[in-house]
Amino acid sequence: MAPIAIKSVLISESVDPRCKSILEENGIRVTEKQNMKKDELIAEIKNYDGLVVRSATKVTADVIGAADNLKIIGRAGTGVDNVDVDAATKKGIIVMNTPSGNTISAAELTCALLISLSRNVPQAVISMKQGNWDRKKFMGSELFGKVLGIVGLGRIGKEVASRMQSFGMRTIGYDPITPPQVSASWGVEQMPLEELWPQCDYITVHTPLMPSTVGLLNDESFAKCKKGVKVVNCARGGIIDEAALLRALESGQCGGAGLDVFVEEPPKDRALVEHPNVISCPHLGASTKEAQARCGEDIALQMVDMVNGRKLIGAVNAQILVSTFTEESHQLIRLGEAVGALLQACTTSNKPLSSVQITTLGDSMKTSTSYLSSSVLVGLLKHDGCCPNLINVLSLSKEAGIKCLIFKKNLTCESTLQAIGAVQGGVPVLLELCGSVFRQPVSLAGSLLFFKAPANPQLLSSVAGKNLM
């Protein structure tokens, strides 16, 4: 990927000082402003190329709409549910997070809540501070031999499994992405949720918050669980249906809950927080010195690597860019854009294009198909004030009604426009245009003027001038 120029970054929340230091050491101007209101952020964001946030700043569509120069939004932590990723993508803005920065801290807090639920530790502490000595009231149970269900087997889920296995727990889980053979290698047997719910003594969730995970644990799920099952949520508020959880607690179907996150933070509805069988924390999953230092440093290093064209880590909406960090990919992207721009210039009809057929030849093109096809669309759409890039071009082409068809072998092209290009000596060149084969490849650089006419020396001299003959 060609380097992206980022000269100024706004840090809108408290982030480890290393973040600012690393960015400034690499020539990026940094401004820190905490506790910014939405209107303040909208007014300020137009002055910056980059934005670094944690979980409190809400980067809404309104904020992104005002971000005329913004090229990257960095979330110093996991998850990006406080960022309107769709709005950022449509505007061609990269959104990245630090996927491993707070893994250990979140896993350790999950384990602490599981242990506290099993032995009623917080309730016993409060009772002692009130001057009581209630040994029988806080009878607990061992974790040894119990079944822990882990929903979401990413980095945090894996670390939780490793730690709770040391207590002698059997760990089972569910994840639609992690292959069962991978999770089995670290001691977690995968199964469908319908099979998982009835087996669990404890359940912990570690999924992102998305439409498919909202209310994952609900009335129906709790009804399938063992009576007295205990649940933990250190991921995102809303994965466990809070109203359903309260009903399960009051009926005894759920024996206790450890909650670090809520749908509304801080929660105005205190019913769960004040329930005697609920242990609650004010979203402390990443609140360790180590995690904050790691996340702040990671997001800065990731941004610097991207700016310098070295690599791309943590991008949630720009996976197409991951394989564009070689000189060969730069050349192919330039070729694609040049061919796309050429086809756009050749479009004489007022009727908009409805489809683009892209054919690649050769084994070396297997890994380049995605970004090469996108680069053709960039060149095709770069007109009339449209500002496509590899991040937003697919959504822009969809809005424009253009279907992109990709092939890996020669096919008969029925369209009126066809261009064949290649890279020769590192330079994009045109080999054929609309059936006309060029004896010498035409360099796709600078300003080009094409004429189509019968082979006639007199016509050529009249167009080009006698001095050029």
Side-chain angles (χ1 to χ4, degrees):
M1 185 183 75
I4 295 177
I6 293 182
K7 298 178 181 179
S8 59
V9 168
L10 172 64
I11 299 178
S12 68
E13 294 181 58
S14 177
V15 179
D16 187 82
R18 270 295 283 157
C19 179
K20 181 180 180 182
S21 298
I22 291 170
L23 293 173
E24 289 181 335
E25 287 168 5
N26 285 272
I28 298 173
R29 176 173 56 85
V30 178
T31 302
E32 291 182 296
K33 292 190 177 184
Q34 298 180 25
N35 303 317
M36 296 181 72
K37 295 180 180 178
K38 181 179 177 180
D39 290 344
E40 294 174 324
L41 185 56
I42 288 175
E44 282 282 326
I45 197 64
K46 64 178 180 292
N47 300 318
Y48 298 93
D49 304 310
L51 173 66
V52 174
V53 302
R54 286 178 59 195
S55 58
T57 301
K58 307 304 179 187
V59 190
T60 63
D62 291 342
V63 173
I64 291 168
D68 296 332
N69 300 312
L70 200 62
K71 299 177 181 68
I72 183 168
I73 299 169
R75 161 80 160 89
T78 57
V80 288
D81 44 281
N82 59 315
V83 179
D84 191 326
V85 177
D86 288 339
T89 301
K90 287 179 181 178
K91 202 157 185 181
I93 299 170
I94 296 173
V95 179
M96 68 165 56
N97 64 358
T98 52
S100 59
N102 60 6
T103 297
I104 299 301
S105 294
E108 288 183 352
L109 181 62
T110 300
C111 297
L113 290 178
L114 288 167
I115 296 167
S116 295
L117 283 173
S118 72
R119 300 302 296 270
N120 302 302
V121 174
Q123 297 93 326
V125 170
I126 293 171
S127 178
M128 284 286 288
K129 289 183 181 295
Q130 292 172 343
N132 302 317
W133 187 263
D134 296 321
R135 295 184 67 192
K136 293 183 179 180
K137 183 178 179 179
F138 300 114
M139 177 67 66
S141 60
E142 292 181 350
L143 293 172
F144 182 83
K146 302 300 189 299
V147 177
L148 172 64
I150 305 172
V151 182
L153 297 170
R155 293 177 176 84
I156 298 173
K158 176 184 177 182
E159 295 297 334
V160 169
S162 172
R163 284 154 179 74
M164 299 317 294
Q165 286 162 9
S166 67
F167 281 82
M169 297 192 84
R170 177 187 168 215
T171 51
I172 61 177
Y174 168 79
D175 192 296
I177 298 175
T178 302
Q181 60 270 28
V182 172
S183 61
S185 69
W186 24 273
V188 179
E189 178 189 356
Q190 278 202 54
M191 59 189 67
L193 290 174
E194 297 298 309
E195 295 180 21
L196 181 140
W197 301 133
Q199 299 188 49
C200 298
D201 299 295
Y202 296 81
I203 297 171
T204 178
V205 295
H206 300 285
T207 71
L209 183 65
M210 57 181 67
S212 61
T213 63
V214 172
L216 199 61
L217 261 171
N218 50 38
D219 288 310
E220 185 179 352
S221 307
F222 277 117
K224 296 175 182 177
C225 293
K226 289 182 180 179
K227 188 173 182 63
V229 66
K230 295 178 174 65
V231 299
V232 170
N233 185 3
C234 287
R236 286 290 182 268
I239 297 172
I240 299 177
D241 184 319
E242 293 180 354
L245 173 58
L246 185 60
R247 288 189 287 270
L249 286 164
E250 292 178 342
S251 70
Q253 182 65 17
C254 178
L259 303 176
D260 184 48
V261 290
F262 298 84
V263 172
E264 182 182 43
E265 296 184 353
K268 293 178 182 177
D269 185 344
R270 307 283 297 175
L272 278 175
V273 174
E274 294 173 0
H275 195 282
N277 292 338
V278 172
I279 302 167
S280 57
C281 301
H283 203 147
L284 299 179
S287 293
T288 64
K289 294 177 181 178
E290 294 85 354
Q292 291 310 300
R294 201 177 295 121
C295 286
E297 184 172 343
D298 284 355
I299 198 65
L301 291 172
Q302 289 171 204
M303 292 176 77
V304 168
D305 281 342
M306 185 204 68
V307 167
N308 292 327
R310 287 195 287 263
K311 57 185 176 180
L312 184 64
I313 297 175
V316 300
N317 68 335
Q319 287 303 307
I320 193 173
L321 300 181
V322 172
S323 56
T324 63
F325 286 82
T326 65
E327 182 56 35
E328 181 184 19
S329 67
H330 298 174
Q331 295 168 1
L332 290 173
I333 290 170
R334 288 195 292 270
L335 171 64
E337 291 189 12
V339 169
L342 178 63
L343 290 175
Q344 175 58 40
C346 291
T347 304
T348 56
S349 171
N350 292 326
K351 184 179 179 181
L353 290 171
S354 59
S355 65
V356 179
Q357 176 181 306
I358 299 167
T359 304
T360 60
L361 299 174
D363 292 340
S364 63
M365 303 293 284
K366 289 180 179 178
T367 60
S368 65
T369 303
S370 60
Y371 66 75
L372 181 58
S373 58
S374 291
S375 66
V376 172
L377 291 172
V378 168
L380 202 61
L381 292 174
K382 194 175 288 185
H383 63 95
D384 297 333
C386 186
C387 299
N389 60 25
L390 294 180
I391 302 163
N392 64 7
V393 73
L394 293 180
S395 61
L396 290 178
S397 61
K398 187 176 181 180
E399 290 176 2
I402 300 175
K403 184 184 295 184
C404 186
L405 308 173
I406 303 171
F407 302 97
K408 293 180 180 169
K409 59 181 180 179
N410 276 320
L411 293 174
T412 302
C413 183
E414 298 177 354
S415 65
T416 56
L417 297 176
Q418 184 182 40
I420 299 177
V423 175
Q424 294 185 0
V427 178
V429 297
L430 182 66
L431 304 177
E432 183 178 330
L433 179 62
C434 298
S436 298
V437 179
F438 297 99
R439 294 180 181 178
Q440 293 295 326
V442 178
S443 175
L444 287 170
S447 299
L448 298 173
L449 186 61
F450 290 91
F451 290 93
K452 185 170 184 179
N456 187 318
Q458 286 74 27
L459 176 62
L460 181 60
S461 63
S462 65
V463 173
K466 294 182 179 179
N467 292 332
L468 297 179
M469 293 301 293

